[in-house]
Amino acid sequence: MKQKLFFMLSLLFLIFFIPLAITMRGLSDINFKLNFKPPELSLNSLKAVCSEPPKEETQKENTFKLLDQATGQVLELPAREFIISTVATEMPATFEEEALKAQAVAAYTYFSFLKEKNAQIPDPSLKGADFAVDSSKMYYYATKEQLQERWGKDFDFYYNKISQAVDAVQGQSLRQDDKYIEALYHSISSGNTENVADVFGGSCTYLNAVASPGDLLAPGYLSKKEFSLEEFKNLAKSKWPDVSFGEDPQTFLQIKNRTSSGMVLEAKVGSKSATGREIREIFSLRSSNFEVSIQNDKIEFTTKGYGHGVGMSQYGAQSMAKQGSGYKQILLWYYPNTQLSA
């Protein structure tokens, strides 16, 4: 009888007390997990786990140093801020978004090219800057206050429009052989852009002449400028004090040679040989592609286009954009033999 009672008590112990002990242990574990606060992982330790580069490297902001010739100060600006400013000063804000994008990429490429060039061979006159600008003339750079004055009540609309175009292509550049190209641009071509060798000398395969027919419809494509013969001679003498002129006014300016696009390569101004670029500078013409008419004691220049004619035509880019071309098509048309890279 005693043995039977002992057996029954042992069985009750196994049935009730052991599960209770296990349950209490389980509850203890749950309570531990609910109250446990793991050590906080620092951002650096997370990155080590994820094998990502440090934040400083991935988000280091590119900057440009500008010598503002208006003030003599060197300004260091984030690339985004500067490109927004230079697009605003270099291209009409009314242009199509794809044209603005093309301008943003061309500008970023061009100024990155200048920055690298100056880093290799520093120009002491830049006072440590990458290149020069002139805020007083809105030459490559203007402050927000200047843009507000220019655009008035439309400032927010135009500034946001240009900012969005810049943001859409931020960091993208044109390269050849993995190097920034010298992405020259101008306002209006004569209907064809110019070979760089004809305008600035040198040679590169991405600054060759290409057709730009949209420029023919650009406002200001044709311009005229008139001088009296006396004014003409005085301006020529400011460049060449010893220049002489014959009796026949028709010999005062004679065009000798042009490029295939029509730009004047060589001419005679009185007794002096001159380039089209020199004539453009002396008489403040809009381009070096001009015709001359001399009659009634007057000399008249009829000029095609606006600017040096090399690289991307801005009004040509606008024409392409209006016809449905994207910024990539525009850039690779005006800068052949290049690659667009981020």
Side-chain angles (χ1 to χ4, degrees), residues 23-24 30 33 58 65-66 104 116 154 179 183 217 223 226 228 256 268 276 300 313 316 326 330:
T23 301
M24 294 302 294
I30 292 171
K33 290 173 183 176
T58 57
K65 291 182 180 179
L66 338 171
E116 283 197 350
D154 294 321
K179 296 178 182 177
L217 302 176
S223 59
E226 187 178 82
S228 71
K256 299 294 185 180
K268 286 276 286 185
E300 183 182 73
S313 162
I330 294 169

Side-chain angles (χ1 to χ4, degrees), residues 65-77 125-135 141 143:
K65 291 182 180 179
L66 338 171
L67 172 62
D68 187 351
Q69 294 177 325
T71 63
Q73 294 182 319
V74 174
L75 309 173
E76 185 168 7
L77 300 179
S125 68
L126 292 175
K127 303 177 182 180
D130 301 319
F131 46 80
V133 299
D134 191 334
S135 61
Y141 171 71
T143 63

Side-chain angles (χ1 to χ4, degrees), residues 64 79 82-91 99-115 131 140 166 169 172-174 180-185 312 314 331 335:
F64 289 115
F82 172 69
I83 297 302
I84 290 172
S85 177
T86 198
V87 171
T89 59
E90 294 288 288
M91 178 175 270
L100 292 170
K101 289 179 184 177
Q103 178 65 38
V105 174
Y108 178 74
T109 303
Y110 178 68
F111 289 107
S112 295
F113 172 89
L114 293 184
K115 179 179 178 178
F131 46 80
Y140 293 145
V166 170
V169 298
Q172 294 184 35
S173 61
L174 290 162
Y180 291 117
I181 69 165
E182 190 171 8
L184 299 175
Y185 52 86
M312 185 179 74
Q314 294 170 316
L331 290 168
Y335 303 104

Side-chain angles (χ1 to χ4, degrees), residues 85-93 135-155 158 162:
S85 177
T86 198
V87 171
T89 59
E90 294 288 288
M91 178 175 270
S135 61
S136 66
K137 301 175 183 176
M138 292 194 182
Y139 179 71
Y140 293 145
Y141 171 71
T143 63
K144 275 192 176 182
E145 291 73 23
Q146 288 174 299
L147 295 175
Q148 285 174 325
E149 185 176 346
R150 169 184 279 187
W151 291 328
K153 61 183 178 59
D154 294 321
F155 169 79
Y158 285 138
I162 291 174

Side-chain angles (χ1 to χ4, degrees), residues 265-324:
L265 278 175
E266 183 184 5
K268 286 276 286 185
V269 179
S271 60
K272 295 291 183 180
S273 292
T275 65
R277 286 181 65 197
E278 288 176 317
I279 294 171
R280 178 193 176 193
E281 180 183 343
I282 294 166
F283 299 103
S284 301
L285 305 178
R286 285 164 63 90
S287 84
S288 301
N289 191 321
F290 54 81
E291 302 286 349
V292 179
S293 173
I294 303 174
Q295 55 185 350
N296 301 325
D297 295 326
K298 301 282 186 182
I299 182 166
E300 183 182 73
F301 291 91
T302 300
T303 305
K304 296 178 182 179
Y306 189 10
H308 51 63
V310 180
M312 185 179 74
S313 162
Q314 294 170 316
Y315 273 85
Q318 168 71 348
S319 177
M320 290 182 69
K322 290 179 77 172
Q323 293 177 47

Side-chain angles (χ1 to χ4, degrees), residues 172-276:
Q172 294 184 35
S173 61
L174 290 162
R175 295 173 178 260
Q176 187 179 76
D177 298 328
D178 203 32
K179 296 178 182 177
Y180 291 117
I181 69 165
E182 190 171 8
L184 299 175
Y185 52 86
H186 58 282
S187 183
I188 307 170
S189 80
S190 64
N192 290 278
T193 65
E194 300 288 344
N195 290 313
V196 68
D198 292 330
V199 181
F200 299 113
S203 177
C204 56
T205 59
Y206 58 82
L207 292 176
N208 290 331
V210 298
S212 189
D215 289 309
L216 302 177
L217 302 176
Y221 168 72
L222 281 180
S223 59
K224 294 181 181 290
K225 202 161 192 181
E226 187 178 82
F227 301 91
S228 71
L229 294 180
E230 196 62 29
E231 288 173 329
F232 177 85
K233 289 193 288 187
N234 287 338
L235 286 169
K237 287 179 179 178
S238 69
K239 171 70 174 178
W240 304 288
D242 60 340
V243 66
S244 59
F245 296 92
E247 296 295 323
D248 183 3
Q250 298 299 322
T251 65
F252 282 14
L253 176 55
Q254 301 175 77
I255 296 170
K256 299 294 185 180
N257 195 15
R258 294 180 182 271
T259 67
S260 58
S261 300
M263 185 192 76
V264 174
L265 278 175
E266 183 184 5
K268 286 276 286 185
V269 179
S271 60
K272 295 291 183 180
S273 292
T275 65

